[in-house]
Amino acid sequence: MSDKKRIHFIGIGGSGMSALARVFLEQGYPVSGSDMVRKHLVKELEQMGATVYIGHHPDHVKEADLVVYTSDIPEENAELVEAKRLLLPVMHRSDLLAEILNGKKGIAVSGSHGKTTTTSLISFLLEKAGLDPTYIIGGEMMNGGGNARAGQGEYVVAEADESDRTFLKYHPHIGVITNIEPDHLENYEEDYRKMKEAFLRFANQVKPGGKAVICLDDPDIREIASHIKSDTITYGMKEEKADYLAREIDQGDGLSFLAVERGKELGRITLHLAGKHNIYNALAALAVARYAGISFDTIAAAMEEFRGAKRRFQLIGEVDQIRIVDDYAVHPTEIRATLRAAKETGRRVLALFQPHRVTRAYYLFGEFGRSFQDADRVYITEIYSPKGDKKIEGVDSGKLAEEIRKGSGVEVQYISSQEEMVDALLQEAKPGDLILTLGAGDIYKVAHRLIEELSH
């Protein structure tokens, strides 16, 4: 890749693909791509000089020297088929990321939850410390800088995705595991044990001289910890033997805690983030930053400045004392943590839930049912099913609504369309309420529509 070849990204508007495209654009490569919709990430890439086609056509790859695709791109995609017919080099996104990450001091952040916030925070800390990192994130930082940056420093920070097992392609200098929970089991032969074995393998792929950074409070990480051959740095809130601990936790306007490093008090850290789960993300970032040689004062100042990642308990707006927040939560554990953070505001919580993937709903059906206890009222819409998701008979939002009503003991209303959901919320919402949109699909559009309607 040293001779600035033209790279074509199929599905360039996705969070992961657009991040990679941005890095190569900043490094001076000619970049093209295609997508079905001209999203804001696509527009930003066009402004940077990328050629982006709306729609897929074989002609789009004729000038490419390398074609990049993701697991969501079907084999029959016209551009992928043409690239193979022309015998062009074709790479999965994860292979291209592996070339970048494995070639430098890679910091790969894995885990079932918290990857985007933790990756964003680590990137922000390294940047504020003057280490000029390259970072490739599955979301956008609220502080600016988007979802990617091509730095000149020795560190590359990226999310390591376990959903399709591609995190096993990375051999990082620092490998973070935030937590492990059953999800995406369709890619692990429906066997949670095999998923845990994959995380163990990831930890053991840390390069010699590097560190595996792991959360000791997580029971499944503790289960594999004794089999990790890499040197480890541990963190937690409960396990006293952890290298990094959070003490004297204060959940007022944001979060504050006393950071302890191997028994020594470092000082207080303040975060303008909601939810106790973000303390774990901060501890992981603290452990990485300290290993990278950053002073605690620099870390504490940067953490206080950090404003999180978009779609991670993101305040969309407040009108007539009705607050609207959007969150990417898709897994029952993420939903519980996000709803807990919402409940801690003292407001009545109206949760708008868009399930993501039929397969996830199937495997975690009962868990979803028990995850909404901190909501005062739940609205559920159709399952957002991306390409490649299986159709499973008997799994739908209507049945999920019944399970939530039974398992969480809250009032649940199934509404098929987003337009009807907006109308229902405009009728129901009162001053002092918190409306929370939950899901990885396009439910965030409801949050923005509500702000528009309430502002009229």
Side-chain angles (χ1 to χ4, degrees):
M1 299 302 299
S2 59
D3 51 356
K4 306 296 186 196
K5 293 182 177 179
R6 175 174 292 277
I7 310 173
H8 182 84
F9 294 86
I10 306 175
I12 197 170
S15 57
M17 289 286 263
S18 63
L20 265 180
R22 189 182 190 106
V23 165
F24 280 98
L25 279 167
E26 289 184 1
Q27 290 178 340
Y29 286 80
V31 167
S32 64
S34 58
D35 215 307
M36 298 308 295
V37 181
R38 185 170 269 106
K39 296 180 268 192
H40 79 279
L41 289 172
V42 168
K43 293 175 184 176
E44 288 178 8
L45 291 173
E46 288 177 320
Q47 290 169 2
M48 293 176 68
T51 300
V52 181
Y53 306 98
I54 300 305
H56 302 291
H57 192 279
D59 290 346
H60 297 164
V61 302
K62 290 192 182 298
E63 302 299 320
D65 298 298
L66 172 66
V67 175
V68 184
Y69 69 101
T70 71
S71 298
D72 289 333
I73 301 298
E75 288 185 11
E76 63 271 19
N77 176 275
E79 294 176 12
L80 189 57
V81 170
E82 180 68 3
K84 291 177 179 178
R85 188 187 73 81
L86 294 173
L87 302 180
L88 295 173
V90 174
M91 290 181 78
H92 190 278
R93 173 192 174 272
S94 58
D95 292 310
L96 186 56
L97 177 56
E99 280 203 9
I100 300 171
L101 190 130
N102 295 344
K104 298 183 86 172
K105 276 193 172 180
I107 301 173
V109 181
S110 73
S112 300
H113 322 296
K115 288 190 294 292
T116 298
T117 299
T118 303
T119 306
S120 299
L121 187 46
I122 291 170
S123 302
F124 191 69
L125 295 182
L126 295 180
E127 192 169 9
K128 285 296 177 179
L131 296 178
D132 198 15
T134 294
Y135 56 79
I136 299 160
I137 308 171
E140 299 172 76
M141 281 196 275
M142 295 291 289
N143 291 76
N147 60 347
R149 178 178 180 273
Q152 299 301 312
E154 61 182 347
Y155 288 103
V156 176
V157 191
E159 290 183 42
D161 189 3
E162 84 291 343
S163 67
D164 56 1
R165 302 176 67 96
T166 53
F167 71 144
L168 295 177
K169 297 178 181 180
Y170 309 134
H171 296 265
H173 175 63
I174 302 173
V176 179
I177 306 178
T178 59
N179 42 61
I180 308 174
E181 283 209 60
D183 198 7
H184 306 289
L185 292 182
E186 66 275 13
N187 292 321
Y188 291 89
E189 300 174 39
E190 302 186 9
D191 187 343
Y192 185 37
R193 180 178 53 83
K194 291 187 177 180
M195 185 179 187
K196 287 186 280 189
E197 288 172 354
F199 273 99
L200 174 60
R201 183 177 157 192
F202 169 78
N204 284 330
Q205 288 179 180
V206 169
K207 291 177 179 176
K211 298 286 184 181
V213 177
I214 60 174
C215 179
L216 275 192
D217 285 3
D218 185 276
D220 290 314
I221 292 179
R222 286 201 306 274
E223 182 184 321
I224 67 170
S226 61
H227 303 287
I228 295 177
K229 297 172 184 175
S230 307
D231 289 340
T232 60
I233 302 174
T234 59
Y235 65 93
M237 285 188 261
K238 302 169 187 173
E239 289 291 328
E240 290 292 338
K241 61 182 179 181
D243 296 313
Y244 289 89
L245 288 162
R247 289 283 173 263
E248 299 176 17
I249 296 166
D250 179 26
Q251 289 183 264
D253 185 17
L255 298 166
S256 175
F257 64 91
L258 176 66
V260 179
E261 179 184 61
R262 298 181 182 89
K264 179 186 176 184
E265 294 182 359
L266 292 174
R268 291 201 73 79
I269 284 176
T270 299
L271 295 163
H272 294 285
L273 302 174
K276 205 171 179 179
H277 58 284
N278 275 311
I279 294 177
Y280 284 116
N281 299 331
L283 286 170
L286 171 65
V288 170
R290 291 292 285 164
Y291 184 62
I294 303 175
S295 72
F296 177 75
D297 288 346
T298 299
I299 293 167
M303 284 198 180
E304 188 163 6
E305 187 181 343
F306 183 68
R307 289 297 181 271
K310 290 183 181 179
R311 301 220 60 214
R312 272 67 181 179
F313 212 82
Q314 179 186 353
L315 176 63
I316 303 302
E318 187 167 332
V319 181
D320 297 331
Q321 299 177 51
I322 299 171
R323 185 175 296 175
I324 299 176
V325 173
D326 176 53
D327 198 276
Y328 190 84
V330 293
H331 187 279
T333 298
E334 295 167 348
I335 291 166
R336 281 194 295 272
T338 305
L339 286 173
R340 195 174 305 122
K343 196 68 174 174
E344 285 165 356
T345 66
R347 292 169 174 260
R348 185 173 76 133
V349 178
L350 307 178
L352 282 56
F353 176 48
Q354 181 184 50
H356 184 249
R357 294 186 182 275
V358 173
T359 47
R360 181 181 280 119
Y362 172 73
Y363 286 115
L364 302 172
F365 192 78
E367 282 293 303
F368 276 115
R370 296 185 290 273
S371 296
F372 289 83
Q373 294 177 0
D374 281 325
D376 293 285
R377 190 179 176 99
V378 176
Y379 299 81
I380 184 170
T381 190
E382 294 292 341
I383 296 174
Y384 187 89
S385 189
K387 290 177 183 175
D389 193 24
K390 296 176 183 176
K391 301 297 181 186
I392 301 174
E393 189 175 348
V395 179
D396 58 48
S397 289
K399 289 185 171 60
L400 265 178
E402 287 299 319
E403 188 69 14
I404 292 167
R405 186 178 293 113
K406 181 175 68 176
S408 294
V410 296
E411 190 172 346
V412 186
Q413 186 175 350
Y414 163 64
I415 301 177
S416 61
S417 77
Q418 293 190 2
E419 290 77 15
E420 291 176 83
M421 189 171 274
V422 170
D423 291 339
L425 266 295
L426 291 173
Q427 292 291 322
E428 177 63 27
K430 302 178 179 68
D433 285 353
L434 190 155
I435 299 173
L436 178 63
T437 51
L438 296 162
D442 60 356
I443 189 68
Y444 65 89
K445 293 178 180 177
V446 175
H448 291 277
R449 278 280 309 282
L450 283 169
I451 286 291
E452 289 176 15
E453 296 293 334
L454 289 168
S455 298
H456 288 160

